[in-house]
Amino acid sequence: MPVGVLALQGDFREHAAVLHQLGAAPVEVRLPRQLAGVSHLIIPGGESTTIGRLLDRYEMLEPIRARAGHDLAIWGTCAGAILLARQVLDVKKGGQPTLAVMDITVRRNAYGSQLDSFETLLPIPLLGEPPLRGVFIRAPQIEMVGKEVEVLARLEDGAIVAARQGRLLVTTFHPELAADDRVHRYFLEL
Amino acid sequence: MEKSTWTTKVGLAQMLKGGVIMDVVTPEQARIAEEAGAVAVMALERVPADIRAQGGVARMSDPELIVAIKEAVTIPVMAKARIGHFVEAQVLEALGIDYIDESEVLTPADEEHHINKHKFNIPFVCGCRNIGEGLRRVAEGAAMLRTKGEAGTGNVVEAVRHARAVYGEIRRLQSMGEDELFVYAKEIQAPYELVRQVAETGRMPVVNFAAGGIATPADAALMMQLGVDGVFVGSGIFKSGNPMQRARAIVEATTHYNDPEIIAHVSKGLGEAMVGIEISKIPAEQLMAQRGW
């Protein structure tokens, strides 16, 4: 089955490059028809307001929502996590379109401006040793998770940075920038 | 935990790819840009077309305006410092914005040295006309590049020239032998290590956007098809007849740059584009792309 990478805006080529290395066949998805036959979809890092607007404008919100977590596994990184969250805090004035399919609450730009972007070694028990290099860029934070949601990783201060609900996965950091394919391999197994 | 690493600086530019960064001069314009789908805004007092028309020394914008624009939107905010004016850059960093453009659109403050960008925690974007200029900026610490084009003209010809120079030279580099790379690095006055990296990877070491003269959705898609990672639009949006509609159209054309039907659709009925200027009609000393060394 081809793996889709939402290619409306953001670092979709970095995700596609990792998928290539893993032998998966990445498909760039910009229009609803390109979703046909795709079993897994990655929503990359980028600007959630931009991607949300283009999802809405090109009528992709409903087709993705209808399949999300059923016959379509979805992984959102950073902006992608915002787009999957059922509740988003600190949205753009006037609100912003999102998919709102996963039972989490996410705060945008939770750490501050670009000057607060950071890297840290991130232990993810599920992936074993060694810890992953977590790259956080104007990152959001997962502030609350529902009963069905499993927390996969936290920062030292307890902040949730990765979570899963069935076939929906979110990370607030960027494994695609860290030269580590373990999260991609984990996602392809969902 | 390490803040402001090279990965996070270059990484923010990666997140802007496939997007449009828009010049804005008021908080209201910033909100229109954000609503239209801009991935970031460039906060400034005057767009390049007005700087060009009014003449005089163009400097960093009033910090009060930059802060007001920053407070108006949730997307990244950039602002311009003069070439070589490291104190303007220090001020912009202190304001806590997200990126600094060391820009030839402003009047240079130093005719020999660019800012030593390694000294800063905030990332920088710089203009370039070819690989050599781009790699010199990266060596100084630029985490993102853009073509210079010719700002404030609404004429895409210079941006095309600069993009073709960069991507044409990359293709030529890839066919060179190792001994030729040494000479090439010397000729283009760029560090050998960076030249070798470009030859090996077939791409510039950092994200490269188009800038300088983009005024229509087709201009944006043209630059994307030539190989740039995204687009800056300066005067082109808020100097046009219908900014919101044009801004949206340029965003959509940048995403769907390989889909002529969509570009045709979004280009319909946009009203007046900004008035363009022929490059040959501009006196040589007023050409902005020649600033920087």
Side-chain angles (χ1 to χ4, degrees):
Chain A
M1 274 295 234
V3 178
V5 182
L6 193 69
L8 295 171
Q9 191 272 319
D11 72 334
F12 51 88
R13 289 208 179 85
E14 281 62 32
H15 276 292
V18 181
L19 293 173
H20 262 299
Q21 282 166 10
L22 291 173
V27 178
E28 291 186 0
V29 175
R30 291 184 178 82
L31 295 168
R33 61 179 145 86
Q34 292 158 340
L35 274 172
V38 167
S39 62
H40 291 68
L41 180 70
I42 295 178
I43 306 180
E47 264 313 308
S48 63
T49 51
T50 305
I51 300 173
R53 200 194 108 64
L54 289 163
L55 280 171
D56 185 29
R57 172 74 182 75
Y58 288 88
E59 296 174 353
M60 296 180 75
L61 290 170
E62 278 314 316
I64 295 176
R65 270 183 204 138
R67 294 178 55 197
H70 308 293
D71 69 334
L72 185 65
I74 309 181
W75 170 22
T77 56
C78 197
I82 295 166
L83 286 157
L84 288 178
R86 196 153 280 159
Q87 200 187 358
V88 184
L89 306 174
D90 291 345
V91 293
K92 168 176 92 54
K93 257 198 186 101
Q96 61 187 77
T98 64
L99 291 160
V101 289
M102 187 166 168
D103 197 7
I104 55 174
T105 300
V106 168
R107 184 178 299 281
R108 292 177 69 214
N109 302 338
Y111 303 89
S113 78
Q114 169 62 14
L115 290 165
D116 299 298
S117 291
F118 62 97
E119 286 182 68
T120 188
L121 282 178
L122 194 62
I124 305 183
L126 187 83
L127 301 178
E129 289 295 323
L132 195 115
R133 191 161 60 94
V135 181
F136 294 80
I137 297 172
R138 281 175 51 91
Q141 197 171 59
I142 302 167
E143 298 209 337
M144 283 195 303
V145 298
K147 277 195 222 102
E148 315 273 290
V149 178
E150 183 189 351
V151 172
L152 302 181
R154 292 175 187 270
L155 293 179
E156 269 176 20
D157 67 3
I160 302 168
V161 295
R164 175 188 163 182
Q165 179 180 358
R167 299 190 74 209
L168 303 174
L169 175 67
V170 288
T171 58
T172 61
F173 53 96
H174 296 278
E176 76 280 11
L177 296 184
D180 189 322
D181 59 15
R182 284 178 291 168
V183 184
H184 287 82
R185 281 188 276 147
Y186 173 75
F187 174 61
L188 293 180
E189 298 290 313
L190 285 188
Chain B
M1 181 187 293
E2 256 189 298
K3 284 190 181 183
S4 295
T5 61
W6 181 246
T7 302
T8 64
K9 289 176 171 180
V10 174
L12 178 56
Q14 302 274 25
M15 299 311 143
L16 301 174
K17 285 195 298 188
V20 182
I21 300 168
M22 303 181 191
D23 277 6
V24 298
V25 300
T26 64
E28 292 68 37
Q29 288 187 355
R31 267 194 220 107
I32 292 173
E34 182 181 48
E35 185 63 40
V39 290
V41 291
M42 178 75 70
L44 66 181
E45 276 168 358
R46 297 182 287 172
V47 294
D50 289 334
I51 291 174
R52 193 174 280 291
Q54 293 163 10
V57 173
R59 310 178 180 91
M60 174 187 80
S61 298
D62 183 344
E64 192 176 344
L65 172 75
I66 295 169
V67 169
I69 287 172
K70 180 179 171 228
E71 282 168 359
V73 292
T74 61
I75 56 179
V77 175
M78 301 184 169
K80 291 183 194 289
R82 282 180 267 179
I83 290 174
H85 205 315
F86 50 86
V87 174
E88 283 189 351
Q90 290 165 6
V91 170
L92 293 174
E93 182 175 68
L95 295 179
I97 58 166
D98 300 291
Y99 239 91
I100 294 176
D101 183 7
E102 187 185 17
S103 178
E104 70 283 359
V105 167
L106 305 184
T107 310
D110 188 324
E111 295 195 330
E112 269 181 276
H113 309 92
H114 280 252
I115 297 170
N116 178 356
K117 294 165 276 285
H118 291 295
K119 285 188 172 172
F120 288 79
N121 289 322
I122 191 166
F124 284 76
V125 55
C126 287
C128 71
R129 290 163 293 181
N130 50 50
I131 288 193
E133 193 173 27
L135 294 183
R136 285 196 292 281
R137 296 295 87 79
V138 173
E140 295 158 0
M144 178 178 181
L145 294 170
R146 54 173 176 75
T147 64
K148 284 183 169 174
E150 190 57 40
T153 61
N155 187 342
V156 79
V157 67
E158 294 301 309
V160 168
R161 189 191 317 283
H162 302 157
R164 283 215 180 265
V166 168
Y167 298 107
E169 282 173 87
I170 290 177
R171 281 186 286 274
R172 207 157 71 79
L173 254 180
Q174 286 179 287
S175 65
M176 285 185 195
E178 203 186 354
D179 30 0
E180 293 169 305
L181 289 181
F182 289 109
V183 180
Y184 184 80
K186 187 184 72 180
E187 280 170 1
I188 65 169
Q189 300 175 50
Y192 168 73
E193 280 306 317
L194 289 176
V195 171
R196 201 187 60 181
Q197 188 186 334
V198 174
E200 275 169 11
T201 59
R203 53 199 294 186
M204 293 298 271
V206 300
V207 166
N208 185 31
F209 269 45
I214 291 130
T216 69
D219 286 350
L222 171 69
M223 298 311 300
M224 292 297 289
Q225 287 198 26
L226 285 173
V228 300
D229 296 310
V231 176
F232 283 86
V233 185
S235 321
I237 289 171
F238 290 99
K239 284 283 164 189
S240 75
N242 189 341
M244 174 62 103
Q245 204 187 341
R246 181 165 297 265
R248 286 184 160 168
I250 292 177
V251 168
E252 290 171 34
T254 302
T255 291
H256 298 285
Y257 66 95
N258 267 328
D259 193 328
E261 281 178 31
I262 290 181
I263 300 168
H265 181 73
V266 302
S267 299
K268 284 179 192 161
L270 289 184
E272 293 266 334
M274 73 176 278
V275 179
I277 307 175
E278 227 183 287
I279 306 296
S280 61
K281 299 275 161 37
I282 305 172
E285 70 277 9
Q286 288 176 22
L287 288 174
M288 292 171 173
Q290 290 172 6
R291 299 165 167 177
W293 7 94

